[in-house]
Amino acid sequence: MYRFFVQPQVNRFKQSIVGYETLIRESRDGRWQLPKDFSAISLACQLTLLQRCVDTLKLKSHYLGFNLNRTQIQDPEVVQHLIHFQQRAFPVRLVVELTEEVCGSPKDAACVLDRIRTLHEGGVQVSLDDVGTGENQFSAISPLLPYVSELKLAMQNFRHDNNADAIPKALHDWRQISADNGLRFVIEGVETQADQQMLDDLNIGLRQGYYYGKPHLLFYRGELNRTSRIEKNA
């Protein structure tokens, strides 16, 4: 059994939730866990779950993030299904979050660019996740920038690499890249008051992290009262 957990994305300066990232989980042995095999989860299953998220959150969320890697996004059927889904989901905006997986070849990179252009033309927004990590370095993603809507920087990645001292410069540099290209800039991994103050000082308003709310199971329409209680306690 699969369900989506969701984590809020907030606008700190407007004191509002602007979107949610969806994170798929599998029920095993009475607990919700990361799926053993993500490739075993069909796109049809994920889109059914995503539609239930839209039905539940459409009055609460502008954006709904959905993760894809570079292998998945190269499938033209996946791209067309996502475009059709966006047409049904409007006014909620589907944001495909492209992870930092490295492309296998220049041919793969060209295909990714073509698929992102197709999504853009079909009304689906694309976010480049974990910029500054893996494949999502500026030199690799610069051709994609005309066709994406958002950049996400994960502060936790720098901490995991014992490189936390590089966070302020990375924030400054990627904020400028976002501004130069007219893109939203979202910071992940906001965990402490010190993190919040650093982003306040840099005037970066869009944020995601445990400081604002942990991922939690999204209860569907018939379970909305329980959902409200979870969000209040997040």
Side-chain angles (χ1 to χ4, degrees), residues 37 40 48 59 63 81 85 99 101 117 142 168 183 202 206-207 226:
D37 183 5
T48 296
L59 298 179
Y63 304 107
H81 280 301
F85 181 89
T99 61
E101 176 192 54
R117 184 188 297 114
S142 57
L183 307 177
L202 289 169
L206 297 178
R207 309 174 190 179
R226 295 175 67 186

Side-chain angles (χ1 to χ4, degrees), residues 142-156:
S142 57
L144 308 179
L145 295 180
Y147 309 107
V148 305
S149 300
E150 176 181 284
L151 303 180
K152 294 185 77 176
L153 184 146
M155 294 198 294
Q156 70 269 23

Side-chain angles (χ1 to χ4, degrees), residues 6-214:
V6 295
Q7 185 174 29
Q9 298 175 345
V10 306
N11 185 318
R12 154 73 168 162
F13 302 128
K14 293 185 178 180
Q15 297 291 308
S16 63
I17 293 175
V18 296
Y20 291 87
E21 180 179 357
T22 59
L23 304 160
I24 200 161
R25 297 292 183 265
E26 180 181 6
S27 179
R28 298 198 310 271
D29 302 321
R31 297 179 58 189
W32 291 104
Q33 304 175 51
L34 285 172
K36 286 185 176 180
D37 183 5
F38 283 92
S39 65
I41 311 171
S42 69
L43 181 65
C45 172
Q46 294 185 69
L47 292 183
T48 296
L49 296 175
L50 201 61
Q51 184 62 55
R52 292 176 182 172
C53 293
V54 169
D55 292 341
T56 299
L57 294 171
K58 60 185 175 183
L59 298 179
K60 301 180 181 180
S61 174
H62 297 297
Y63 304 107
L64 199 60
F66 178 70
N67 289 281
L68 286 183
N69 61 37
R70 279 172 162 76
T71 299
Q72 292 169 315
I73 205 171
Q74 290 182 64
D75 186 335
E77 290 190 10
V78 168
V79 169
Q80 289 305 314
H81 280 301
L82 292 173
I83 290 172
H84 293 153
F85 181 89
Q86 174 60 86
Q87 292 168 351
R88 298 193 307 271
F90 189 82
V92 174
R93 299 307 302 263
L94 180 64
V95 181
V96 172
E97 298 193 12
L98 186 65
T99 61
E100 73 278 13
E101 176 192 54
V102 175
C103 282
S105 69
K107 181 179 178 181
D108 289 341
C111 183
V112 168
L113 173 59
D114 182 67
R115 299 294 185 259
I116 288 177
R117 184 188 297 114
T118 301
L119 286 170
H120 172 75
E121 292 170 352
V124 178
Q125 297 192 7
V126 176
S127 172
L128 299 180
D129 202 7
D130 297 338
V131 291
T133 303
E135 181 74 357
N136 287 349
Q137 304 291 340
F138 180 75
S139 59
I141 67 170
S142 57
L144 308 179
L145 295 180
Y147 309 107
V148 305
S149 300
E150 176 181 284
L151 303 180
K152 294 185 77 176
L153 184 146
M155 294 198 294
Q156 70 269 23
N157 289 352
F158 292 84
R159 295 176 178 130
H160 291 165
D161 293 339
N162 296 315
N163 196 26
D165 290 345
I167 290 175
K169 184 177 188 304
L171 290 170
H172 178 273
D173 291 348
W174 284 102
R175 180 189 63 175
Q176 189 61 53
I177 292 169
S178 300
D180 290 345
N181 289 275
L183 307 177
R184 295 190 303 274
F185 187 38
V186 180
I187 307 304
E188 297 181 277
V190 184
E191 298 177 353
T192 66
Q193 174 62 37
D195 289 343
Q196 174 165 266
Q197 187 59 57
M198 176 169 56
L199 296 175
D200 285 353
D201 292 343
L202 289 169
N203 197 34
I204 299 172
L206 297 178
R207 309 174 190 179
Q208 180 180 338
Y210 281 15
Y211 192 76
Y212 302 108
K214 296 181 179 181

